[in-house]
Amino acid sequence: MKTIDTPTLRIAYLEAGPTNGWPVILSHGFPYDVHAYAEVAPILAEAGARVIMPWLRGFGPTRFRSPETMRSGQQAALGRDLVELLDALGLERAVLAGYDWGGLASCVATVLWPARVSALVSLASYDVIDVERLGHCFAPSLECVVWYQHLFQLERGRECLDRHRRDLCRLLWEQWSPGWQFDAATFERTAEAFENPDFVDVVIHSYRFDFGTAPGDPALEPLEARLRTKPKITVPAVTLDGAEDPLKPGGTADQTDMFANLHEHRTIAAGHNLPQEAPGAFADAVLTARRMAQAAGLPAR
């Protein structure tokens, strides 16, 4: 494990591959951590990548540098964290790849700072949250799947996450990846990341902001305003769906019009935790995105 300071965070991360390799940032989701990429990273490192796997804000050993900083989990904060990480590492640009919160962070960074991104890999395609849309209901079949998001709007939800974080998160693993047979050791390795002192605050704020029930960080409002205009992805991208992902029924192949550069969409036989369930397929998507960037003449770093 390594750490590096950004203006906001002391980010803890794992690194694999040559230090002079082409850079790729692999971002995890909720409720996961960097170990989701345990089998993806060696494949990319063998292909010459410098693989950076950060713990997101509120997870694992990553810490806020100031007690005064708002423990925001909103999308602009997650995207800005990635760009500040690139700055701290001295990287002009990188391939960004992620799923769940990590896909959100990667998409947000790409639409707001496209010059910093050589290519994108995103589960669930254009994964930028439409906060206005979340103020209205979905079909009951999907509302049932996102029960935890409704729970988190209440103080009893904060209490549940605080007191029963491992049980709640393990239940989400099971529900979101119905075909994935993981053992207790695999879950516990990741569950250690949920003991971060800011985990509960960041997670609760994330889902309350998304539902429009909690204000965001005022300093991030200009970024959120830009996101509300739904900017298109302008870098080469490979987008993914898990065929058994209950959070995205029917998949996201219909979002192709949000991609204004080279773009390929794939459906993989997996659930929501695609990098851990199908690491070879996720790694191949990153390598394909890298080749797309080369074809488009975008520099690697």
Side-chain angles (χ1 to χ4, degrees):
M1 189 193 77
K2 300 180 180 180
T3 61
I4 196 165
D5 286 349
T6 72
T8 309
L9 302 170
R10 175 160 291 167
I11 296 179
Y13 64 99
L14 300 182
E15 183 170 348
T19 57
N20 63 345
W22 53 273
V24 55
I25 310 292
L26 303 180
S27 299
H28 67 82
F30 164 83
Y32 307 99
D33 85 330
V34 297
H35 294 101
Y37 296 106
E39 295 182 53
V40 175
I43 300 172
L44 299 180
E46 181 66 24
R50 179 187 179 188
V51 187
I52 309 294
M53 296 161 280
W55 278 271
L56 301 189
R57 57 170 55 203
F59 289 78
T62 291
R63 295 290 185 270
F64 287 88
R65 295 184 62 190
S66 169
E68 306 303 319
T69 302
M70 181 179 179
R71 270 43 178 174
S72 170
Q74 69 193 89
Q75 58 185 349
L78 299 176
R80 188 183 65 177
D81 288 347
L82 287 184
V83 174
E84 291 184 345
L85 175 60
L86 291 176
D87 290 340
L89 292 169
L91 298 173
E92 182 61 29
R93 62 172 69 218
V95 176
L96 300 185
Y99 72 111
D100 198 87
W101 282 27
L104 172 64
S106 299
C107 284
V108 167
T110 301
V111 299
L112 294 179
W113 296 277
R116 307 301 302 275
V117 183
S118 55
L120 171 72
V121 174
S122 169
L123 183 69
S125 294
Y126 187 79
D127 195 7
V128 176
I129 292 169
D130 187 339
V131 175
E132 182 180 357
R133 173 66 185 89
L134 286 184
H136 303 279
C137 72
F138 292 105
S141 57
L142 183 56
E143 295 286 4
C144 178
V145 174
V146 298
W147 60 268
Y148 65 101
Q149 297 185 18
H150 298 297
L151 178 63
F152 290 164
Q153 305 308 309
L154 306 174
E155 284 306 296
R156 67 184 294 158
R158 180 189 294 274
E159 180 182 359
C160 184
L161 184 63
D162 187 24
R163 293 188 179 184
H164 306 292
R165 64 190 73 186
R166 274 175 157 79
D167 289 343
L168 188 154
C169 292
R170 185 182 179 106
L171 180 60
L172 295 179
W173 278 35
E174 293 168 349
Q175 292 181 344
W176 295 351
S177 299
W180 182 38
Q181 301 299 315
F182 60 90
D183 58 22
T186 298
F187 176 76
E188 287 300 322
R189 180 176 62 173
T190 287
E192 292 296 321
F194 310 152
E195 299 304 323
N196 183 297
D198 299 306
F199 176 75
V200 173
D201 286 344
V202 170
V203 170
I204 294 298
H205 180 263
S206 176
Y207 290 104
R208 291 185 182 181
F209 176 83
D210 293 348
F211 274 49
T213 61
D217 184 342
L220 297 173
E221 174 52 27
L223 300 180
E224 293 290 350
R226 289 172 59 193
L227 293 173
R228 287 194 290 272
T229 68
K230 300 182 176 67
K232 292 188 177 183
I233 300 289
T234 58
V235 306
V238 177
T239 56
L240 303 170
D241 281 318
E244 292 88 41
D245 183 355
L247 291 173
K248 298 295 178 182
T252 59
D254 59 348
Q255 297 179 13
T256 55
D257 61 336
M258 298 306 295
F259 296 85
N261 204 314
L262 298 173
H263 174 235
E264 180 179 327
H265 184 77
R266 301 174 177 180
T267 300
I268 308 300
H272 188 65
N273 188 12
L274 199 151
Q276 211 157 355
E277 297 177 63
F282 195 90
D284 185 68
V286 174
L287 295 174
T288 299
R290 160 70 170 155
R291 289 193 292 271
M292 285 180 171
Q294 291 175 311
L298 294 175
R301 59 176 65 81

